[in-house]
């Protein structure tokens, strides 16, 4: 008779530690997607800081001297003035963020789905439960990842500070974390967390509802089948809705995170996210809340939201996992093949024994 412990050891990692395997796959998919689309994220952040009216209170002339530039001109300007590789400035904390965010959201979502919500009597998982679960999981994951988001935004603006003749704030990622912690304490690492989790909730709500709705409509009412074209169009539409809902909170979040601070780590421009919202609208107009909208939409459409994809079985929602478009999925497919091969090899060894 075979020893149960030995049989368990022969199982592939995906079966022995399913959640750890999902976390690994999610992290890898998110990393690939982040590297591919990060220049759009950097361009978005730079556009969100353009013409910041609150800087006038500090006597900063950057608002008056900086010409307004669109997405393409901003990206080309970064290449010309700072260098091509500067399009990836701040990518390291962005990867850290995705590991924390994707992992925290995945674990939270699965717990909510299995323990809190559960399936309906007909064994289906309704869309409204998926949306609520996705929003709650997104909020928790974003809250946990806020320190990495804070460092990412500030590092993305370092190149602009250098061009303006201002001293650089950080020597690297780890120095950034240490400096923020030393100046503002633990609380300082969560600067801007309120608009950050608001953005996460709004983006997840728009993304989850629109993606699934559009995909169902295309499959049922057009000649399109459930393929990469359908997923691409669904992703384009869901990214549009998510960007419309989430961009204002994203602008507020970025400005609060990037504002200058005193020695105690307190912001010098904004007292709160509400104060930032009022100053932006009064000083720059309502449409200032949608600065960086185009690169944000393109990034969501290309990348998808790495950590969620609807996998269907008999027409119902069955799981919540990695990414819904090209870059995350290709990475996941490769990793899944490796895991499947490991599983087959494990089964072969078990039969031989």
């Amino acid at each position: 008779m075979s020893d149960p412990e030995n049989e368990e050891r022969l199982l592939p990692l995906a079966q022995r530690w399913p959640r750890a395997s999902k976390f690994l796959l999610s992290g890898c998919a998110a990393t690939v997607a982040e590297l591919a689309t990060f220049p759009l994220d950097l361009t978005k952040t730079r556009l969100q800081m353009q013409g910041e009216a609150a800087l006038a209170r500090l006597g900063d002339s950057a608002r008056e001297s900086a010409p307004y530039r669109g997405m393409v001109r901003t990206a080309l300007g970064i290449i010309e003035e700072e260098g091509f590789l500067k399009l990836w400035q701040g990518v390291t904390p962005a990867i850290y963020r995705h590991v924390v965010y994707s992992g925290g959201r995945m674990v939270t979502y699965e717990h909510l789905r299995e323990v809190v919500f559960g399936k309906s009597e007909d064994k289906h998982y309704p869309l409204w439960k998926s949306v609520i679960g996705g929003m709650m999981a997104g909020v928790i994951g974003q809250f946990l990842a806020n320190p990495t988001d804070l460092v990412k935004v500030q590092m993305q603006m370092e190149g602009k500070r250098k061009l303006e003749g201002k001293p650089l704030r950080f020597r690297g990622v780890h120095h950034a974390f240490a400096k923020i912690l030393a100046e503002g304490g633990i609380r300082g690492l969560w600067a801007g967390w309120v608009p950050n989790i608001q953005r996460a909730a709004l983006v997840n709500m728009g993304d989850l509802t629109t993606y699934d709705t559009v995909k169902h409509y295309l499959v049922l009412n057009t000649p399109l089948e459930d393929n990469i074209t359908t997923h691409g169009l669904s992703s384009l539409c869901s990214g549009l809705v998510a960007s419309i809902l989430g961009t204002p909170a994203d602008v507020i979040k970025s400005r609060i995170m990037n504002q200058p601070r005193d020695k105690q780590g307190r912001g010098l421009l904004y007292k709160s996210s509400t104060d930032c919202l009022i100053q932006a609208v009064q000083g720059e107009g309502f449409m200032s809340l949608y600065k960086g909208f185009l690169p944000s939409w393109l990034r969501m459409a290309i990348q998808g939201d790495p950590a969620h994809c609807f996998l269907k079985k008999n027409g119902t929602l069955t799981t919540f996992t990695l990414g819904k478009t090209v870059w995350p999925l290709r990475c996941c497919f490769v990793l899944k093949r490796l895991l499947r091969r490991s599983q087959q090899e494990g089964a072969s060894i078990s039969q031989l024994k």
Side-chain angles (χ1 to χ4, degrees):
M1 295 181 64
S2 60
D3 189 354
E5 292 185 1
N6 290 332
E7 289 183 357
E8 184 178 351
R9 288 173 188 168
L10 292 174
L11 291 174
L13 293 178
Q15 292 185 12
R16 289 163 62 186
W17 299 298
R19 290 197 176 182
S21 300
K22 288 182 180 179
F23 180 86
L24 176 63
L25 289 171
S26 181
C28 291
T31 300
V32 173
E34 188 67 34
L35 289 171
T37 61
F38 190 79
L40 287 171
D41 187 66
L42 176 68
T43 305
K44 176 203 72 174
T45 303
R46 294 287 182 91
L47 285 170
Q48 290 173 342
M49 304 301 176
Q50 285 271 354
E52 195 171 0
L55 290 174
R57 289 193 310 157
L58 296 180
D60 196 322
S61 60
R63 180 176 179 242
E64 289 77 16
S65 62
Y68 180 80
R69 300 190 293 188
M71 181 185 73
V72 176
R73 290 185 62 191
T74 298
L76 292 176
I78 294 171
I79 295 173
E80 293 173 359
E81 298 166 359
E82 304 171 41
F84 178 74
L85 292 180
K86 291 299 182 179
L87 288 173
W88 281 269
Q89 187 170 35
V91 72
T92 302
I95 291 174
Y96 292 168
R97 173 197 173 269
H98 264 308
V99 171
V100 177
Y101 176 61
S102 299
R105 186 167 64 161
M106 180 195 69
V107 172
T108 303
Y109 182 89
E110 290 204 347
H111 177 76
L112 291 172
R113 185 178 172 212
E114 295 173 6
V115 179
V116 179
F117 293 132
K119 293 185 178 180
S120 303
E121 294 180 358
D122 57 359
K123 302 300 180 182
H124 288 189
Y125 195 68
L127 178 61
W128 70 268
K129 288 186 177 181
S130 173
V131 172
I132 295 175
M135 289 177 64
M136 294 175 64
V139 165
I140 293 173
Q142 191 63 73
F143 179 79
L144 295 174
N146 195 82
T148 56
D149 223 348
L150 175 66
V151 172
K152 182 201 75 170
V153 169
Q154 294 194 9
M155 291 193 71
Q156 286 178 326
M157 295 303 297
E158 287 294 88
K160 188 65 180 295
R161 286 176 62 88
K162 187 175 181 179
L163 290 174
E164 294 172 352
K166 299 177 182 178
L168 298 181
R169 292 173 287 193
F170 314 118
R171 294 191 301 269
V173 178
H174 300 101
H175 177 246
F177 281 109
K179 185 177 180 181
I180 294 171
L181 184 62
E183 293 178 353
I186 295 293
R187 185 177 180 180
L189 291 171
W190 268 268
W193 71 270
V194 174
N196 208 7
I197 66 170
Q198 290 173 345
R199 175 194 172 275
L202 291 169
V203 166
N204 275 278
M205 179 180 69
D207 203 5
L208 287 164
T209 53
T210 308
Y211 180 83
D212 201 48
T213 302
V214 172
K215 195 181 79 167
H216 271 92
Y217 178 84
L218 292 174
V219 171
L220 295 176
N221 298 282
T222 69
L224 293 174
E225 299 179 355
D226 191 357
N227 52 28
I228 190 66
T229 302
T230 305
H231 287 276
L233 291 172
S234 303
S235 184
L236 193 67
C237 294
S238 65
L240 175 61
V241 174
S243 295
I244 291 173
L245 294 176
T247 297
D250 197 23
V251 171
I252 302 304
K253 178 261 301 185
S254 296
R255 293 189 172 189
I256 289 178
M257 287 182 170
N258 188 61
Q259 69 174 323
R261 300 181 180 276
D262 59 20
K263 294 182 179 180
Q264 286 72 42
R266 293 173 296 191
L268 298 176
L269 297 180
Y270 310 112
K271 298 177 182 178
S272 64
S273 56
T274 304
D275 182 41
C276 182
L277 173 66
I278 293 172
Q279 289 196 51
V281 174
Q282 288 181 345
E284 305 165 53
F286 177 78
M287 292 309 296
S288 66
L289 298 177
Y290 283 91
K291 289 182 177 180
F293 173 81
L294 184 56
S296 177
W297 175 25
L298 291 176
R299 185 169 182 263
M300 288 185 185
I302 295 171
Q303 173 184 334
D305 198 5
H308 92 269
C309 176
F310 297 115
L311 297 182
K312 300 292 179 178
K313 184 177 181 181
N314 298 326
T316 61
L317 180 65
T318 58
T319 190
F320 173 84
T321 182
L322 304 172
K324 66 182 181 231
T325 50
V326 178
W327 287 103
L329 282 175
R330 284 183 178 173
C331 179
C332 295
F333 288 155
V334 172
L335 292 170
K336 283 185 176 181
R337 286 172 187 163
L338 292 175
L339 289 173
R340 192 180 297 116
R341 185 178 300 173
S342 173
Q343 181 178 0
Q344 292 172 351
E345 291 175 354
S348 300
I349 294 173
S350 178
Q351 290 176 358
L352 290 173
K353 290 191 174 184

